[in-house]
Amino acid sequence: MNVELVRSFLAVSRHLNFTRAADELRLTQPAVSRQIAQLERDLDAILFERLGRSVYLTDAGRRLVPLAEQLLGQMARVVEAMRGDAARGSLRIGASTTPGYYLLPPVLGRFHQNHPVVELHFEVADSLAIERRIMGNELDLGFIGAPLVNEALASEAIAHDEIVCFCSANPAQGSRRRWTTKALTDATWIVREPGSATRRLFEQRLAAVGIEMHSLIELHSPEGIKALVRAGMGISFMSIRGIERELQSGELKRIEVRGLRLT
């Protein structure tokens, strides 16, 4: 089996979009389409369904994802083992958004200064994706902001954090002294994607105090979320580490919710 075809398959399975997968692989979209078609012929299986402009994994495609991840992970290990010098090896680290953006960069900077010959790979994705990549041997170490979902993995606490609600500091929202349960339920919430551990935990805690989120705008980027909140399009929640600068500058305002404390 051609490993480049497997690599292209995984890229398309992550993005469910041939153009974005091609950008990641630095190939043209037609080239990626040809590779997927060749892999489907090699395996005698249809891996993706195309409905209009949308792309979906078939049952066969879903079965192939973990096997393909393990295959590429093992191949990377072969290359690393053949180098023979641990000091010149590689370290593959993944992190969910909060630790990936607000905790790890300075740590990784110091690591690189102390070990400049180690090849460092770092990626940020949602918590579930990080767990899946660890299980598939694509990553050596992961940092996430919530308890593990997969019981086959082990974790260790390294820091404490607090998730807080916040809104724009403009007069329309920032002047509100108290957010009632009804106001929070009726608000437009600007939230992370469903795989986010922060979102999963926060939704559970909101439900426990009788608050539901009905109107949602989903984004993958925490900076995008803050921009929409600053513009007054809705309210959100995030690690206190992610909005400290905006709280100090007065661009955003923390929302205090009785009975809601998430650390």
Side-chain angles (χ1 to χ4, degrees):
M1 187 185 301
N2 187 323
V3 68
E4 295 305 322
L5 304 186
V6 178
R7 189 169 283 114
S8 294
F9 163 75
L10 286 176
V12 177
S13 73
R14 283 194 294 271
H15 296 284
L16 293 179
N17 182 288
F18 279 76
T19 301
R20 289 199 291 270
D23 290 341
E24 175 187 325
L25 297 165
R26 298 184 180 180
L27 298 172
T28 64
Q29 187 269 326
V32 174
S33 296
R34 287 194 297 270
Q35 288 182 331
I36 296 302
Q38 181 61 54
L39 184 61
E40 290 179 328
R41 287 193 295 270
D42 291 346
L43 298 177
D44 192 22
I46 301 301
L47 304 174
F48 296 99
E49 289 180 314
R50 299 162 181 82
L51 302 178
R53 291 189 170 185
S54 298
V55 177
Y56 303 91
L57 280 164
T58 63
D59 288 342
R62 282 190 287 272
R63 289 196 301 271
L64 180 58
V65 167
L67 299 173
E69 289 173 340
Q70 292 173 22
L71 174 64
L72 292 187
Q74 291 296 337
M75 291 188 67
R77 281 293 179 238
V78 169
V79 173
E80 186 174 322
M82 292 302 100
R83 289 174 176 169
D85 184 352
R88 294 182 178 273
S90 65
L91 181 61
R92 304 169 301 171
I93 294 178
S96 60
T97 303
T98 297
Y101 287 168
Y102 307 118
L103 288 177
L104 286 180
V107 177
L108 295 180
R110 292 195 298 271
F111 178 88
H112 179 67
Q113 290 175 353
N114 294 330
H115 308 279
V117 298
V118 174
E119 187 177 346
L120 187 63
H121 302 272
F122 178 54
E123 64 177 90
V124 177
D126 64 60
S127 295
L128 294 179
I130 296 300
E131 288 193 37
R132 182 168 55 82
R133 295 196 194 290
I134 291 283
M135 291 298 298
N137 199 27
E138 287 189 280
L139 296 173
D140 300 308
L141 189 63
F143 295 83
I144 62 175
L148 291 166
V149 173
N150 195 312
E151 295 180 354
L153 297 174
S155 67
E156 179 180 348
I158 61 166
H160 290 89
D161 194 17
E162 183 180 7
I163 308 303
V164 299
C165 288
F166 62 96
C167 65
S168 171
N170 66 35
Q173 290 184 335
S175 61
R176 185 192 292 265
R177 292 186 177 181
R178 183 170 176 268
W179 286 77
T180 63
T181 298
K182 183 179 185 305
L184 291 168
T185 299
D186 292 343
T188 296
W189 289 85
I190 303 170
V191 300
R192 290 278 313 284
E193 70 281 1
S196 162
T198 298
R199 174 175 171 179
R200 183 174 72 250
L201 292 175
F202 198 81
E203 285 179 330
Q204 293 170 357
R205 189 58 58 88
L206 279 182
V209 296
I211 299 171
E212 297 182 7
M213 295 189 293
H214 296 301
S215 177
L216 301 178
I217 299 175
E218 292 184 348
L219 292 178
H220 287 267
S221 164
E223 295 303 314
I225 289 174
K226 289 191 289 186
L228 291 188
V229 173
R230 281 197 302 268
M233 291 185 63
I235 63 177
S236 188
F237 51 89
M238 189 177 294
S239 162
I240 188 69
R241 301 170 189 268
I243 60 171
E244 284 177 330
R245 185 167 50 191
E246 288 81 2
L247 291 176
Q248 292 173 0
S249 68
E251 297 175 83
L252 298 175
K253 182 177 179 181
R254 181 169 175 171
I255 298 174
E256 298 290 349
V257 182
R258 180 177 297 178
L260 182 67
R261 184 170 179 82
L262 182 56
T263 57

